[in-house]
Amino acid sequence: MPAFPHSTSPTTAVAVPPALSLPVIETAFPRRLHPYWPRLQEKTRSWLLEKRLMRADKVQEYADGLRYTDLMAGYYLGAPDEVLQAIADYSAWFFVWDDRHDRDIVHRRAAAWRRLRFQLHAALESPGHHLHHPDPLVAGFADSVGRLNAFLGEGWNARFARHFHAVIEAYDREYRNRTRGTVPTVDAYLELRRLTFAHWIWTDLLETSAGCELPNAVRKHPAYRRAALLSQEFAAWYNDLCSLPKEIAGDEVHNLGISLIHHEGMTLEEAVKEMRRRIEECITDFLDAEKKALLFAESLADDTGQGKELSDTVKAIVANMRNWFSAVYWFHHESGRYMVDSWDDRSTPPYVENEAAGEK
């Protein structure tokens, strides 16, 4: 079926390999696309060039095919154009950062990674002071954080910073695991994955897209939190399933399949089957959690306009949690990030700065 049956995207039907096919996503989770998408792609491409996050030839050849903006345009529906643009640029930065982290590990650049880690922590606390940092990755991060901080209040900004400090430290744990060849146990991996996939960052940004900082009583309510967690777990685990060949080729140790093989004694085929079981169970659990989250949202409406507004906001956010399933699913089958069979070297993505990243 077409990835976008009712949209303006030029995307046509893609062939999903049987091992990765999830018919329930294709039938029960219709894909939607923010109408700003064409401009989003164009402006994020320009932003990557302006901030020197990718070389001009890499941007020209690979940026559109990586489909980073498609992922965000399919998730944060209803966001004002300016907000979606800031989120999309930040998302593109995150992918570039992930690639730098990988190259620092591959080339054993411990000092470069340590320096970057502390610089990102500093930029997160004072983005305005790092806009002209000599490392484009730090400057681009500062630009992204400063823009995102402008939309909601100080409480949201502090929470976002707290959540991303934890993401940076999780990436440091990944660095140490990979350089030591340590494969985490399944439980340890799943806990770490919630941080490295930035579960709560993408969930925080749902509030930004809705233009409303939710009260703690809403964000921490079990019905809201479970739906949010399951939508992110699906994305992380499906990413693991799709990237398993790439990560085995690159001597990765952080993948649910790799942990199952290493610690549970599974064959590759058994691990893939178990990953699919978990992913499908996650989808079923979300459908139940979604109903409970919507009932919770309905209960927030009262006789005041404020209650009705909060109820509508939570309903819109839960709808975007649902959008995440289809956005993630199709992204993995359209993005050049996972097409390892087309690369000259299955362990080295062609869009990365393999030689000099982090060294200038």
Side-chain angles (χ1 to χ4, degrees):
M1 65 173 288
F4 291 108
H6 306 293
S7 81
T8 57
S9 170
T11 302
T12 57
V14 294
V16 179
L20 305 176
S21 175
L22 295 173
V24 65
I25 297 296
E26 299 183 21
T27 58
F29 291 79
R31 190 177 186 183
R32 302 168 62 205
L33 188 71
H34 197 291
Y36 182 64
W37 173 80
R39 287 284 292 150
L40 187 71
Q41 184 181 58
E42 176 187 334
K43 293 189 75 172
T44 294
R45 189 192 315 122
S46 297
W47 185 79
L48 287 168
L49 281 170
E50 176 192 343
K51 299 302 176 183
R52 296 180 296 117
L53 289 166
M54 293 175 68
R55 284 203 328 250
D57 61 324
K58 299 280 188 183
V59 171
Q60 177 67 29
E61 187 169 358
Y62 298 109
D64 289 353
L66 290 170
R67 303 295 186 101
Y68 296 157
T69 53
D70 291 27
L71 184 62
M72 296 297 106
Y75 185 18
Y76 296 102
L77 274 292
D81 294 353
E82 180 186 16
V83 172
L84 184 60
Q85 187 66 63
I87 293 173
D89 291 349
Y90 165 76
S91 171
W93 174 87
F94 203 117
F95 280 112
V96 175
W97 176 48
D98 188 71
D99 292 334
R100 168 82 73 84
H101 179 256
D102 177 71
R103 293 297 95 186
D104 279 349
I105 292 167
V106 168
H107 296 296
R108 295 298 193 267
R109 295 192 291 243
W113 163 246
R114 189 180 307 111
R115 182 167 58 249
L116 177 61
R117 170 190 168 201
F118 290 123
Q119 288 168 346
L120 292 178
H121 277 306
L124 188 55
E125 288 301 314
S126 56
H129 294 146
H130 293 79
L131 292 172
H132 304 290
H133 194 280
D135 185 335
L137 202 64
V138 177
F141 179 60
D143 178 80
S144 291
V145 172
R147 289 158 65 196
L148 293 172
N149 282 350
F151 298 121
L152 295 179
E154 292 183 4
W156 185 93
N157 294 349
R159 186 192 343 139
F160 180 88
R162 184 171 68 253
H163 286 162
F164 203 82
H165 281 306
V167 171
I168 296 168
E169 288 307 292
Y171 265 65
D172 185 56
R173 291 203 293 279
E174 278 205 345
Y175 186 97
R176 285 181 275 122
N177 283 345
R178 283 185 65 187
T179 54
R180 295 169 183 171
T182 302
V183 179
T185 64
V186 172
D187 287 345
Y189 170 72
L190 293 177
E191 181 181 353
L192 181 62
R193 185 63 163 147
R194 292 183 183 118
L195 293 171
T196 57
F197 197 81
H199 280 24
W200 301 116
I201 291 292
W202 306 118
T203 303
D204 289 338
L205 289 168
L206 287 169
E207 296 172 60
T208 309
S209 71
C212 176
E213 181 180 348
L214 296 178
N216 283 342
V218 172
R219 285 193 309 105
K220 296 183 178 181
H221 191 281
Y224 179 91
R225 194 168 178 85
R226 179 158 174 75
L229 177 62
L230 287 168
S231 71
Q232 294 298 325
E233 296 279 58
F234 165 79
W237 300 350
Y238 192 68
N239 174 267
D240 279 5
L241 181 63
C242 294
S243 61
L244 187 56
K246 167 187 173 184
E247 294 182 341
I248 288 175
D251 293 324
E252 247 288 10
V253 298
H254 298 101
N255 185 291
L256 177 55
I258 292 172
S259 287
L260 288 167
I261 292 167
H262 190 84
H263 291 285
E264 305 296 329
M266 293 186 183
T267 64
L268 176 60
E269 293 75 16
E270 289 169 340
V272 168
K273 184 176 180 180
E274 172 62 12
M275 292 170 78
R276 284 187 61 93
R277 186 195 68 78
R278 289 175 182 242
I279 290 165
E280 289 166 359
E281 184 177 66
C282 185
I283 297 168
T284 301
D285 288 347
F286 173 80
L287 291 172
D288 179 64
E290 178 187 37
K291 294 175 184 175
K292 293 176 181 176
L294 290 173
L295 285 173
F296 168 60
E298 195 65 42
S299 74
L300 296 171
D302 53 27
D303 294 334
T304 68
Q306 187 176 15
K308 178 65 164 60
E309 183 178 358
L310 181 59
S311 174
D312 289 344
T313 296
V314 174
K315 289 177 185 177
I317 287 176
V318 173
N320 277 341
M321 291 176 188
R322 162 177 275 270
N323 288 334
W324 195 218
F325 285 79
S326 57
V328 165
Y329 180 77
W330 291 111
F331 169 70
H332 281 85
H333 303 299
E334 296 166 354
S335 173
R337 192 172 181 86
Y338 306 100
M339 297 179 182
V340 295
D341 291 336
S342 67
W343 301 353
D344 292 336
D345 177 355
R346 288 169 63 89
S347 68
T348 306
Y351 48 82
V352 300
E353 301 293 333
N354 187 48
E355 299 301 329
E359 296 297 290
K360 293 181 179 179

